Amino acid sequence: MNRAIVIHIIRFLVVVLLQVLVLRRATLAWDDFPYVQILMYPVFIMLLPLRMQPIYVILWAFALGMAVDVFYNSPGVHASASLFTAFIRMGILRQLAPRGGYTATHNPNKAALGWEWFLRYAAILLTCHLFFYFSVEYFTFVYILQILLKTIGSFIASMIFIIMFVAVFNPKE
Amino acid sequence: MRGLLLYLTNNGSLFLFLLLEAVCFYTMVRFNDTQQRVWLTTSNAFAGYFNKKADDVYDYFGMGNQMAALQRENKMLRQQLQYMAYLQGDSLLRDTALNGNFSELQQATSGKDTLYHHFTYIPVEVIDNSIRSLDNTLTLNRGRRDGIEPDMGVINGDGVVGIVRQVSEHYSTVMSLLHRQTRISASIKRTGAFGVLRWHGDEFDSERIRLEDIPQHEIVNVGDTVVTTGYPLSNIFPKGVFIGLVEKAQKDKVGNFYTIDVKLNIRMSRVQHAYVVSLNRRQELLQLESQPLK
């Protein structure tokens, strides 16, 4: 139990630092082309254990979003998107349950359920996250076209980094 | 109660989610420029829409009062017409005035009487009004296009409203009676002694104004009528517009003047319709007055 918590804290730190110190600066480089942003941090929410209480998932997501917001100087924006992602995660997991349900060793990661399952899972969550994020960033659906373009552009870039993250660290719990 | 608790614990994640989202949205609107701007614009648009609706309803229910005010005004005008006709000894004019047919009266008087054409009254509606600050202003729904110019007076059936300050194409702003820069020449109707009306913003009282510079050798009684003088210094008002009644007259300890509290007849908080007073030969008069005396 303690080991699991330590792992989550370390992963939390790694994801946040990667996001705000590396990926954020990379995005700043093409500031005049805002349609591609790299948001890799939702991977932390995706990788939380399958049987973790939904309340804790939401609290972790809130902490994650707020931590990112501190560095992005946008209090509340990333946090609200993270909360949304954490909230729909339960439903998505239920939908994506393999035939016969999850076994005791299953966790929502590539090591337990394979690349195909994980990519589908990550893609759905990431799309929802990005769409929600850009919607609250504009705070109005008047710019729905820009929101969609940003979602698509950022989806491709972010997905690449999430795959890299999972391939490199291959998290198991 | 137990059912409620059970429901809350069963749906704990949903409520936590909604609660934290609410926190997020609050921080977002509070601390981020973009979101704040969108929020304010949208909420203002909403509020504006509902305020407008509410105003319409209030207008409707306020119609009785407005009607009464208009009737009073009509009565006053009718009396003035009769009086004028009487002064001129013109029987035709008098009869028309008594019968109250305005267009006939206009025909009968056109080109005849310069006094009659001295002032023009431009009917306006008040679209914004304040009474609770030190310098109160009103906004009118007519502007330069309708012949309004700065420094014209604004009155209605209940008395003096204020003085036009700025004029745009379709709107104008008015320095209300309740503005610290307002100076209006006014007199005690009974004696003709005149002074200056000023508002000091005392406790932001919108029902009283002060009449100053009336010398102490004049006799001022409580209840005396205060009207405009129409003097050149403020030839923006016609003579004799009712302002209010003397409520309290105090002799200054220093100096030779009274400090008179006048209870306003007009309720500034309720002004909805008014007239801008336009002096017909205003340019000529201003030009003449601006020339140095030889």
Side-chain angles (χ1 to χ4, degrees):
Chain A
M1 186 59 204
N2 278 337
R3 204 179 98 84
I5 288 180
V6 171
I7 286 179
H8 287 139
I9 291 173
I10 293 173
R11 190 182 293 151
F12 183 93
L13 292 175
V14 170
V15 166
V16 169
L17 290 179
L18 267 178
Q19 179 66 47
V20 301
L21 297 183
V22 182
L23 299 180
R24 172 162 173 266
R25 289 178 190 221
T27 319
L28 285 182
W30 58 85
D31 207 18
D32 44 349
F33 183 72
Y35 293 108
V36 177
Q37 288 193 32
I38 305 167
L39 299 184
M40 192 206 68
Y41 67 91
V43 77
F44 176 81
I45 302 170
M46 298 170 190
L47 292 173
L48 286 172
L50 187 65
R51 287 178 181 75
M52 184 182 253
Q53 289 272 329
I55 288 184
Y56 294 120
V57 177
I58 284 172
L59 287 174
W60 270 113
F62 184 64
L64 176 74
M66 276 299 178
V68 174
D69 274 330
V70 169
F71 291 93
Y72 273 76
N73 205 8
S74 59
V77 185
H78 287 280
S80 71
S82 300
L83 281 174
F84 178 71
T85 311
F87 184 70
I88 62 164
R89 191 186 99 120
M90 296 175 260
I92 306 281
L93 277 174
R94 211 171 298 139
Q95 289 296 316
L96 290 178
R99 201 164 298 152
Y102 297 103
T103 65
T105 54
H106 275 171
N107 257 333
N109 54 36
K110 171 231 147 191
L113 287 158
W115 270 121
E116 195 197 327
W117 185 90
F118 181 76
L119 286 183
R120 200 187 306 157
Y121 168 67
I124 295 171
L125 277 190
L126 185 66
T127 311
C128 296
H129 182 90
L130 290 173
F131 182 72
F132 194 93
Y133 169 71
F134 290 119
S135 302
V136 287
E137 193 193 29
Y138 278 107
F139 216 60
T140 158
F141 283 113
V142 174
Y143 302 105
I144 183 72
L145 188 67
Q146 280 92 326
I147 293 173
L148 289 175
L149 282 176
K150 280 190 170 189
T151 307
I152 294 167
S154 307
F155 174 79
I156 297 167
S158 307
M159 204 59 196
I160 292 171
F161 280 86
I162 288 177
I163 293 170
M164 274 159 56
F165 183 88
V166 173
V168 170
F169 292 100
N170 194 14
K172 293 193 180 61
E173 49 187 309
Chain B
M1 192 62 205
R2 260 192 68 195
L4 182 69
L5 276 178
L6 208 65
Y7 182 72
L8 279 175
T9 40
N10 282 345
N11 293 283
S13 56
L14 175 66
F15 286 107
L16 184 68
F17 167 68
L18 292 178
L19 178 77
L20 290 179
E21 277 293 1
V23 172
C24 283
F25 274 79
Y26 175 76
T27 32
M28 228 185 297
V29 170
R30 181 82 177 67
F31 297 110
N32 290 311
D33 285 345
T34 322
Q35 281 83 353
Q36 191 169 44
R37 222 166 29 236
V38 175
W39 169 256
L40 288 180
T41 330
T42 319
S43 53
N44 279 350
F46 266 106
Y49 176 77
F50 285 110
N51 274 343
K52 173 85 178 63
K53 289 281 168 221
D55 271 0
D56 290 351
V57 175
Y58 281 121
D59 266 0
Y60 180 77
F61 284 112
M63 234 182 272
N65 284 337
Q66 297 292 319
M67 195 80 106
L70 289 175
Q71 274 170 345
R72 274 202 302 279
E73 193 171 344
N74 273 340
K75 195 173 144 201
M76 190 187 83
L77 290 172
R78 192 68 63 73
Q79 280 169 349
Q80 281 182 356
L81 276 179
Q82 286 177 15
Y83 181 59
M84 239 170 60
Y86 173 76
L87 276 185
Q88 292 182 332
D90 186 328
S91 63
L92 171 68
L93 214 57
R94 187 164 58 235
D95 290 346
T96 341
L98 285 171
N99 292 335
N101 188 329
F102 186 66
S103 59
E104 274 179 41
L105 186 78
Q106 235 177 355
Q107 269 176 5
T109 52
S110 72
K112 234 182 186 178
D113 172 28
T114 51
L115 202 84
Y116 180 75
H117 290 280
H118 200 46
F119 290 108
T120 309
Y121 297 89
I122 305 163
V124 292
E125 220 173 291
V126 175
I127 55 175
D128 192 15
N129 187 4
S130 70
I131 57 164
R132 288 273 168 254
S133 57
L134 280 170
D135 297 312
N136 295 290
T137 56
L138 301 94
T139 311
L140 309 178
N141 68 341
R142 305 244 177 254
R144 193 176 295 116
R145 176 180 273 212
D146 310 286
I148 298 181
E149 282 169 42
D151 293 340
M152 285 181 172
V154 184
I155 62 172
N156 74 5
D158 296 326
V160 173
V161 175
I163 298 167
V164 176
R165 282 303 280 274
Q166 262 129 26
V167 181
S168 72
E169 206 53 35
H170 299 99
Y171 299 98
S172 42
T173 51
V174 173
M175 178 167 83
S176 133
L177 261 186
L178 313 176
H179 189 294
R180 285 176 301 175
Q181 285 176 30
T182 303
R183 304 277 185 280
I184 293 169
S185 170
S187 64
I188 306 281
K189 195 178 181 186
R190 191 171 48 82
T191 61
F194 68 92
V196 178
L197 279 180
R198 287 182 66 186
W199 193 64
H200 293 265
D202 300 335
E203 297 161 17
F204 297 16
D205 183 352
S206 65
E207 289 176 9
R208 280 167 198 81
I209 197 165
R210 200 162 290 168
L211 179 58
E212 294 176 345
D213 294 357
I214 292 205
Q216 286 188 4
H217 61 75
E218 297 284 351
I219 295 164
V220 178
N221 297 331
V222 170
D224 276 352
T225 308
V226 178
V227 294
T228 55
T229 58
Y231 279 162
L233 241 181
S234 61
N235 59 35
I236 46 189
F237 292 106
K239 187 175 176 166
V241 177
F242 184 39
I243 292 169
L245 302 176
V246 172
E247 193 179 60
K248 199 172 76 182
Q250 237 175 351
K251 288 185 178 179
D252 289 344
K253 294 202 176 67
V254 202
N256 285 321
F257 299 103
Y258 279 106
T259 300
I260 300 172
D261 281 349
V262 180
K263 170 104 169 137
L264 287 174
N265 178 54
I266 191 170
R267 289 278 192 90
M268 288 306 291
S269 54
R270 288 196 194 160
V271 177
Q272 283 179 33
H273 299 278
Y275 298 90
V276 173
V277 185
S278 163
L279 184 65
N280 286 345
R281 296 181 185 80
R282 187 158 178 270
Q283 289 308 327
E284 182 186 330
L285 187 63
L286 286 178
Q287 208 179 356
L288 180 67
E289 282 183 342
S290 67
Q291 282 168 6
L293 288 176
K294 281 178 185 158

